[in-house]
Amino acid sequence: MNATATAKLAIQTTGLGKKFGKRQAVSNLDLAVPHGSVFGFLGPNGSGKTTTIRMLLGLVTPDSGNISLLNKPMPKSAASVLPRVGALIEGPAFYPFLSGRANLVRLDAADRTSTSSTRSNRVEEALEKVGLGKASKLAVHAYSLGMKQRLGIANALLRERELLVLDEPTNGLDPQGTREVRNLVASLATEGTTVFVSSHLLSEIEQMCSHVAVMSLGNLVAQGTLEELRSTGQHRAMLRTPDPNVAIEVFARLGLETKPEPTHEGDCPQLRVVLGSDAQVPERIVEELVRAGVRVRGFVVKDPSLEERFVALTGEGFDLAQ
Amino acid sequence: MPSSGLFLNELALLFRRRRTWAMLLALGAVPVLIAVAVRLTSGPPSGRGPAFLDQIAGNGLFTAVTGLFVCIPLFLPLTVSVVAGDTIAGEAGAGTLRYLLTSPVSRAKLLAVKYAVAAVFCLSATLMIALSGIGIGAALFSVGPVTLLSGSTISAAAGVGRVGLIALYIALSLLGLAALGLFISTLTDAPVGAMAAVAVLAIVAQILGQLPQLDWLHPWLFTNHWLDFADLLRDPISWSSYGQNALLQGGYLLVFGTLAYGRFASKGIVS
Ligand SMILES: Nc1ncnc2c1ncn2[C@@H]1O[C@H](COP(=O)(O)OP(=O)(O)O)[C@@H](O)[C@H]1O
Ligand SMILES: [Mg+2]
């Protein structure tokens, strides 16, 4: 990567790795998060997102590799970089017997570069931004999970930040709260803040982010803009026909892979065909099918979806990584 | 002064916890119990019981001294174990450590602040006993000129000064234990485990201190000078035990402070 491109990266890691005992939590990770992007860090549970974030913020020392945060090496420059970074790490954590407000005051006071004269104003503002203005004097043990999550986000917003690192920020939020977080992220992004947000839910990343990196088993399996990731996906087609066997032969002849789609008893059978990344001309395929006597009752070409791409990259189902 | 923000905040936090006040009130109740017991059974001195007990009826100031003396082996170390064991492990267990460190605060500073707060607690604890003792002693008995162990007599005001010196001495005595607690607190994310371990060490050190076979070890035990405050009740004051104690506690602070830093600086924060 050339120098100007590097200077525009808010986060850059090279060869980042971390082992817990025998378990490789993160391996050989090269992240490149452009300045000003809303960058989705996507991966199933246990794929190494939180571990990566802990390393970025200097909480965990990497076994290998380098980290540059806002163009400064981490963890060496933690004292000068971290005041410019707001973070939510693996969920919120607060003193239960203190009010939401007192908790934020405490964390702000811990940062010796923060200005004490503006502290109480900044705390109020952060609480307002996440909709906790009315609950600010309530002890945190009386907060619901969603309120704690909001308080965690408020902590990340205590000062003007150049970078926000949000680890699963919508965990525990209701749909309304999720929408609010999405809007908050969008408004911060328009102000120029770089947002690095992790999630195990594609739909969330898809709605919030301009860029995405996909993790699987501690490895980076894809990285780029949402469009780039989408376009590397495969076009597919669905064929509805009472002659599936003949159709499969035709597809095989055309070098296309097929999978029977589950259908209800009595319904017309369906076949799913992978067309590849540059979809073959569909009318040619249909022509071949008709010539072979296949009764085509329906033929639909589907653009590559991120969902399928995500599943292809990270595996399907409820199996936890490893 | 932005850099003192963390210390003041942590200090305020210590005194905002109900646990802290429960411990301080329990400590303050000890001289009250002693004074009430002495008052109710007022008779000729029996010669039994803890040192200074027989002087209470004659001079209320000795309630404070007796209270401090009684709390040294168990009560004080127990409360200091709770505070010192909780310093880092408590934050780790609650998950707040990751937010403190990314706020950011350097690990060395966090350790120093946490230790300073624990030290303030040591002093608060002994002062609590002293003040409660002086108060209840004055309420139930007469307070007058104090006859010292060396036989000479000093004014009541000077006697209060001596009680203050003893409280300071005992607070100083507890600093080594607090440093040990700080170190143990960096080893675990379970605060209760750290507290228990520190308390056990305080007891074990005292038991070892009573075994004559281990004479060679005694000068190195942080508990070695815990009961040597009687020198402060002589005229003129013999400062040698104060000095030796300060040296010993300072040594513990140096060693365990360094160990705590060594451990904490490289610790992966995964809680
Ligand atoms: N403190 C730890 N000790 C041992 N293994 C850990 C620890 N933290 C994380 N791991 C392991 O590292 C892997 C990645 O975990 P994590 O980074 O939390 O994933 P994610 O945030 O993507 O769900 C998992 O296999 C997890 O079990
Ligand atoms: Mg996680």
Side-chain angles (χ1 to χ4, degrees):
Chain A
M1 197 164 298
N2 65 43
T4 50
T6 307
K8 292 204 181 95
L9 292 179
I11 302 173
Q12 185 179 27
T13 73
T14 47
L16 199 60
K18 180 70 193 178
K19 238 180 181 170
F20 289 115
K22 280 200 184 128
R23 174 166 289 181
Q24 190 77 40
V26 174
S27 45
N28 202 21
L29 176 61
D30 296 332
L31 272 181
V33 178
H35 203 83
S37 63
V38 178
F39 194 101
F41 194 41
L42 186 60
N45 292 325
S47 58
K49 304 183 298 294
T50 301
T51 304
T52 302
I53 287 173
R54 286 182 192 278
M55 289 191 282
L56 292 179
L57 299 172
L59 292 172
V60 164
T61 316
D63 297 334
S64 61
N66 295 301
I67 301 168
S68 152
L69 207 59
L70 300 173
N71 295 315
K72 294 270 183 62
M74 281 295 286
K76 212 174 128 227
S77 305
S80 63
V81 174
L82 291 184
R84 296 149 65 199
V85 180
L88 178 72
I89 313 146
E90 180 110 275
F94 294 102
Y95 267 129
F97 58 90
L98 289 183
S99 69
R101 194 175 185 291
N103 267 293
L104 293 191
V105 166
R106 170 170 193 252
L107 289 170
D108 194 67
D111 174 3
R112 103 195 127 73
T113 64
S114 82
T115 319
S116 55
S117 58
T118 57
R119 181 164 300 144
S120 88
N121 276 342
R122 286 183 290 112
V123 167
E124 285 318 324
E125 268 171 40
L127 286 164
E128 287 297 336
K129 264 189 205 156
V130 298
L132 281 180
K134 290 213 177 66
S136 65
K137 295 205 177 71
L138 201 62
V140 167
H141 68 69
Y143 278 27
S144 69
L145 180 61
M147 289 164 81
K148 285 182 193 151
Q149 189 76 9
R150 285 162 191 255
L151 190 60
I153 296 172
N155 170 49
L157 302 176
L158 277 176
R159 305 174 59 169
E160 292 229 340
R161 313 282 196 184
E162 288 164 55
L163 172 65
L164 283 180
V165 177
L166 304 175
D167 192 9
E168 314 245 3
T170 57
N171 256 5
L173 293 182
D174 49 20
Q176 164 78 11
T178 306
R179 217 166 23 248
E180 286 171 21
V181 167
R182 215 183 299 138
N183 294 339
L184 192 65
V185 166
S187 74
L188 289 164
T190 48
E191 291 164 20
T193 311
T194 308
V195 185
F196 182 80
V197 52
S198 85
S199 177
H200 62 279
L201 297 173
L202 172 72
S203 57
E204 249 182 51
I205 298 291
E206 210 174 351
Q207 292 178 68
M208 281 196 264
C209 299
S210 57
H211 292 67
V212 64
V214 183
M215 294 288 286
S216 175
L217 298 169
N219 293 290
L220 183 69
V221 288
Q223 178 168 228
T225 63
L226 271 190
E227 257 338 291
E228 279 164 4
L229 186 67
R230 209 191 306 267
S231 65
T232 56
Q234 313 237 315
H235 291 264
R236 286 149 200 273
M238 296 289 270
L239 171 67
R240 189 189 295 264
T241 174
D243 314 311
N245 294 335
V246 188
I248 289 171
E249 278 171 28
V250 175
F251 286 129
R253 199 150 22 86
L254 292 170
L256 298 173
E257 203 184 312
T258 43
K259 251 204 293 189
E261 190 75 353
T263 41
H264 291 294
E265 277 265 319
D267 281 1
C268 187
Q270 290 201 53
L271 287 177
R272 178 201 283 261
V273 198
V274 180
L275 300 180
S277 48
D278 39 49
Q280 297 198 29
V281 194
E283 53 268 32
R284 250 207 67 226
I285 299 172
V286 177
E287 197 185 323
E288 289 290 326
L289 287 168
V290 173
R291 188 172 302 158
V294 174
R295 287 168 288 175
V296 176
R297 298 227 169 120
F299 188 84
V300 185
V301 177
K302 291 189 164 172
D303 289 337
S305 89
L306 274 176
E307 179 77 45
E308 283 165 356
R309 188 77 191 111
F310 182 48
V311 169
L313 286 169
T314 62
E316 204 156 359
F318 287 111
D319 290 342
L320 281 183
Q322 295 185 354
Chain B
M1 233 185 7
S3 65
S4 67
L6 181 62
F7 174 68
L8 293 180
N9 231 281
E10 290 306 296
L11 200 58
L13 195 60
L14 174 71
F15 289 106
R16 248 168 119 155
R17 297 190 90 143
R18 239 179 267 164
R19 186 177 75 192
T20 307
W21 285 106
M23 292 193 298
L24 288 178
L25 290 178
L27 288 170
V30 170
V32 175
L33 269 179
I34 294 171
V36 169
V38 168
R39 178 87 220 190
L40 293 181
T41 60
S42 61
S46 66
R48 289 182 298 130
F52 313 110
L53 188 65
D54 291 338
Q55 271 122 300
I56 291 180
N59 192 331
L61 286 184
F62 278 100
T63 317
V65 182
T66 312
L68 284 165
F69 183 79
V70 165
C71 288
I72 288 176
L74 188 63
F75 276 10
L76 278 169
L78 218 52
T79 56
V80 171
S81 302
V82 168
V83 172
D86 196 44
T87 46
I88 300 298
E91 301 283 352
T96 43
L97 186 55
R98 60 177 184 268
Y99 287 110
L100 275 177
L101 291 179
T102 53
S103 71
V105 46
S106 77
R107 297 188 186 201
K109 183 180 169 187
L110 186 61
L111 274 181
V113 165
K114 286 288 187 182
Y115 183 76
V117 168
V120 170
F121 177 81
C122 293
L123 186 61
S124 316
T126 58
L127 283 181
M128 183 76 185
I129 301 169
L131 290 176
S132 152
I134 292 171
I136 191 75
L140 298 190
F141 311 101
S142 67
V143 170
V146 179
T147 307
L148 296 172
L149 299 179
S150 53
S152 49
T153 302
I154 57 171
S155 70
V160 170
R162 295 294 174 103
V163 171
L165 273 183
I166 293 174
L168 265 176
Y169 178 91
I170 299 172
L172 174 74
S173 293
L174 294 167
L175 292 183
L177 178 65
L180 192 60
L182 185 75
F183 170 58
I184 290 176
S185 196
T186 61
L187 300 179
T188 170
D189 293 349
V192 176
M195 295 173 194
V198 185
V200 166
L201 284 176
I203 308 290
V204 168
Q206 291 181 81
I207 294 173
L208 294 180
Q210 284 174 8
L211 300 178
Q213 292 84 349
L214 297 177
D215 259 348
W216 55 271
L217 180 66
H218 293 172
W220 303 99
L221 292 172
F222 58 91
T223 50
N224 194 37
H225 298 292
W226 275 13
L227 296 172
D228 293 352
F229 63 82
D231 285 353
L232 299 171
L233 291 175
R234 297 179 206 286
D235 208 21
I237 296 175
S238 152
W239 292 100
S240 71
S241 50
Y242 229 117
Q244 283 168 18
N245 194 14
L247 206 64
L248 181 67
Q249 302 301 329
Y252 267 85
L253 171 54
L254 197 69
V255 170
F256 285 99
T258 309
L259 284 176
Y261 179 73
R263 162 69 184 160
F264 191 47
S266 60
K267 187 183 184 183
I269 309 301
V270 291
S271 58

